[in-house]
Amino acid sequence: MALAGAGQALYDALYRPLSAEGLREAHGAVMQAAREAAVLRFIRDAMPTG
């Protein structure tokens, strides 16, 4: 029964439209990932090579 519930939750997450709150949360997660990626690129580029 738990496996069926997990499968349904995965289907809902992938194929159902997001609520306004879900859309805000997803946008925030994407923005945070982009900021962290930019910081990591900056650190990588600032390190001496060789």
Side-chain angles (χ1 to χ4, degrees):
M1 187 59 92
L3 183 58
Q8 183 64 48
L10 178 60
Y11 176 85
D12 290 344
L14 293 175
Y15 297 109
R16 305 243 181 211
L18 290 174
S19 65
E21 177 61 27
L23 190 57
R24 280 191 297 274
E25 185 176 337
H27 183 260
V30 168
M31 293 302 295
Q32 181 178 351
R35 280 191 303 268
E36 290 179 8
V39 167
L40 290 174
R41 275 195 301 276
F42 176 80
I43 291 169
R44 180 198 64 197
D45 293 343
M47 294 181 73
T49 58

